[in-house]
Amino acid sequence: MSQRELTPKKIVEKLDQYIIGQEEAKRAVAIALRNRWRRQRVSKEMGEEISPKNIIMIGPTGVGKTEIARRLAKLDNSPFLKVEASKFTEVGYVGRDVESMIRDLVEIAVSQAKAEEQEKVKEKAAELAEERILDILLPLRPIDRSVSDLVSQIPRSEKVEEDTTREKLRRLLKEGKLNERLIEIEIAESKPGPMIEIFSTAGVEDLGFNIKDFLGNIFPQRKKKTKVTVAEAMEILAQEEAQRLIDMDRVVKTALERVEQSGIIFLDEIDKIVGTDTTHGPDVSRGGVQRDLLPIVEGSTVNTRYGMVRTDHILFIAAGAFSNSKPSDLIPELQGRFPIRVELDSLGKEEFIRILTEPHNALVKQYVELMATEGVKLSFTDDAIAEIAEIAAMVNERTENIGARRLYTIMETLLEDISFDAPEMAGAEIVIDAEYVREKLADIVEDEDLSRYIL
């Protein structure tokens, strides 16, 4: 689906296929994504002035905050990074600084763009790999002579015979009849480089140059000969040829443009950097992390190994439970960078029933497919699904509310015996009904202490 066709209604429809409920949050992210498309179509001067409307999603764990952001990025193939705000430390403390998330996003974008370029040259790379394999299978005779000299000196009848042999080998290669044959090829040696100690409070990725490339010039990569099957050689050589065919300068340029114009960063656990009044202990750098986030979210230039990246138009979606704090506890300047706030609803029995059955990746569908690989036909009755949902809601109320993630623990416990014995049950048909669910889970649910450990 093209960006033009991704209207807010279409975006919400697509998100509905994977996320149950949370209409307000879906509408907010759909508008934010569409506004990005709109900004790219206004005049360049005005487009520079329009900043993304960053979002804070507030809600308990397991209600779909991360899934909404992840699915949103997949819709228009935007570079997407999920990162926990609690991982960062204030500049001057040991740990990762906030600029590292921009560098990580750039790496993701470069990988995406590189994969797309490799896909474009896939056929050409396969042809070149095929020629290299044929050269190994049918080498030119005197290897110390040039090809033209060789060709001119081979008698006509020999040349015809050699061409015929090469074409026969090519046909066998295409038909896969040589796949298991062992051949010797040269591949790059993957030995670790020399050990270098860096005295810095930041990680290696924060240095202003690419150490690997720098060392690569001093210690060139060595090659080694290895024996592999023709099928494996085809894959290895095709990757090498694809790497040679793609224009890395164009890849980097595309990646940087995508990051700047359509990058999405999901900043999870933002409530964990709400500082307290303490001046020592683990809280001391939290306010500093918020202050370090300010320029990144508002718009600044970050140095990466591929060049400078502006963050002015990257969309930031923050999320947090805010169970012991509230968004207004963030420093005022950071609050202003997240003008849109949506509260996600807690999930109950009705939502759990829908989560188990409706989405494309519904849990019930996943387990049915998993058991089918063992030749076991698994099915769930409607009353069984209702019982699972009721137990999940009950356990969430009694213990800690972890939302839809509770369904994973319950389903695993429920199907433990079947999963264990499945290889010996090929051809069996198993129907999970409400009685089976109660039989397997009743004792655990009734014993509150036990349910805290198992469910």
Side-chain angles (χ1 to χ4, degrees), residues 305-340:
R305 60 183 282 198
Y306 298 103
M308 306 301 281
V309 174
R310 288 176 58 205
T311 67
D312 301 63
H313 301 294
I314 293 175
L315 177 65
F316 289 85
I317 302 175
F322 288 98
S323 50
N324 299 316
S325 58
K326 49 192 181 297
S328 58
D329 291 334
L330 292 164
I331 61 174
E333 295 88 347
L334 192 60
Q335 289 180 50
R337 270 57 166 192
F338 289 89
I340 301 172

Side-chain angles (χ1 to χ4, degrees), residues 33 37 58 67 95 166 176 184 190 198 218 244 275 287 335 345 391 411:
L33 194 64
W37 177 84
I58 305 155
E67 190 70 2
R166 191 177 180 88
E184 191 174 67
S190 58
I198 297 170
I218 303 173
R244 290 195 187 105
Q335 289 180 50
D345 305 317
I391 290 171
M411 290 290 281

Side-chain angles (χ1 to χ4, degrees), residues 34-44 46-52 260-262 312-314:
R34 187 63 177 183
N35 277 340
R36 166 176 287 172
W37 177 84
R38 291 165 180 158
R39 183 185 65 79
Q40 291 170 356
R41 275 148 189 81
V42 302
S43 66
K44 190 174 181 182
M46 182 59 73
E48 286 295 316
E49 300 299 324
I50 299 172
S51 56
E260 290 184 342
Q261 302 301 324
S262 59
D312 301 63
H313 301 294
I314 293 175

Side-chain angles (χ1 to χ4, degrees), residues 7 96 101 126 129 153 160 167 201 264 345 362-363 439 453:
T7 63
R96 301 197 78 191
M101 64 184 172
Q153 290 178 20
V160 171
E167 290 310 311
T201 56
I264 298 175
D345 305 317
L363 265 182
E439 182 186 326
Y453 285 103

Side-chain angles (χ1 to χ4, degrees), residues 38-92:
R38 291 165 180 158
R39 183 185 65 79
Q40 291 170 356
R41 275 148 189 81
V42 302
S43 66
K44 190 174 181 182
E45 186 182 348
M46 182 59 73
E48 286 295 316
E49 300 299 324
I50 299 172
S51 56
K53 305 302 181 283
N54 298 318
I55 301 165
I56 288 186
M57 292 197 282
I58 305 155
T61 184
V63 295
K65 300 188 295 292
T66 305
E67 190 70 2
I68 287 172
R70 193 163 61 87
R71 295 290 172 186
L72 184 75
K74 280 190 175 181
L75 286 179
D76 68 342
N77 202 28
S78 299
F80 173 76
L81 175 72
K82 176 188 180 290
V83 66
E84 285 76 34
S86 52
K87 283 186 175 179
F88 298 120
T89 60
E90 184 181 352
V91 172

